[in-house]
Amino acid sequence: MTQPVPTPHYPRRSTRQIHVGKVAVGGDAPISVQSMTITKTADVEGTLQQIYALAAAGCDIVRCTCNEIEAAEGLAQIVPRSPIPIIADIHHQYKMALAALEAGVHGLRLNPGNIRKPDHIKAVASEARDRGVPIRIGVNGGSLDPSLYEKHGGLTADAMVESAQMEMRYFEEVGFDLIKISVKASNVPLMVEAYRKLSAVTDHPLHLGVTEAGPLPGGLLKATAGIATLLLEGIGDTIRYSLTADPVEEARAGRQLLESLGLRERKNVDLIACPSCGRAEIDVIDVAKRAQDAFADKQLPLQIAVMGCVVNGPGEAREADLGIAAGNKRGHLFVKGRNVAVVPESEMVDALVDWANYIHEHGVDAALQRVDTTIAEREAARDRSALLDEQGADANRSSEKIVEIRKTVDG
Ligand code: SF4
């Protein structure tokens, strides 16, 4: 009998809720995924194209730089046509923040490390208050105010938290509290410590990220290490992977992390695959990659398995909604661990797509009724036993190798 998969529950730290356009952030709102465009914001069509691609990949909120007047003008045209809320990223020039608000953006991101004049900060906060537009205080370890750097003897978690608190005080002075905060650093332990300290002193929603995480795959690992650690402690209301890659990768990664932690409902295929071993009957890496490509743009909330052999595959992936395992040049399709069909090896990926669409439309029970499973079960049993006869239980020839090793050492 299969055991039910436990539903994860990580007690979430309670935060106030704000709205970035139509997206709620904080409180009991789902944790949202953010990314940032890498086009020139003045290039309206190019930027919108990227925003649509990001939204399709699971991005909830997108940030665009607003570094010049042309960018602000671009935002005025992008905002009404964007499928998701737009946040303007502001560095150094507070007037660009005012211009972005005029353009109708749904949020601002200010870096306290490079907009330091209290009057400028308050002017932006007052305007945002009047328009009901939230602001993220985006402290960045790499651009910390030099006075804080000096006071704390370098870049520390306390220095980053103090930077955020200073900015918050300016906002409070003008009665503005639609605030979201981030204290990003490229050093994972530092970033984790800074967010922990920040979450202990404020109930404003927090935006998580490991800044300048870098190219794949190292960047993904660093960002995941920092973001997942905090999410599992209940800290974080919105996240961004800062990768040196196509921003669509950032959105996909963010979405997949939340889905894999059970913090967002599954929207896309969760592709699982065995790591392959001496028993594999196919090039598992190649078939899994082709399956990944085939499902990349499909919104099918299913877990789908690619397994290298029919000996262990269907059993090991019995919790998957659908899977395929190779054996004797054939692909054995299984639904919830039960064999349903046999296809030629060359048609494995196409068969997966066909059955995935069927399950999505009609459900698992209907898929099991779709065909006479006894034929598929008999064929799978036959191929399984043929493989066991041919390879034995020790497909990696470990016992044989051990005998050889002993001979080498003893001889
Ligand atoms: S035993 Fe089969 S399913 Fe398991 S890793 Fe090896 S090839 Fe993959």
Side-chain angles (χ1 to χ4, degrees), residues 274-277 279-280 307-309 312-313 316:
C274 79
S276 189
C277 73
R279 205 180 270 289
M307 307 300 277
C309 75
N312 291 334
E316 285 181 8

Side-chain angles (χ1 to χ4, degrees), residues 273-282 284 306-317 324-326 391 395-396:
C274 79
S276 189
C277 73
R279 205 180 270 289
E281 289 279 293
I282 45 163
V284 181
V306 172
M307 307 300 277
C309 75
V310 73
V311 176
N312 291 334
E316 285 181 8
I324 198 152
Q391 301 177 339
N396 292 312

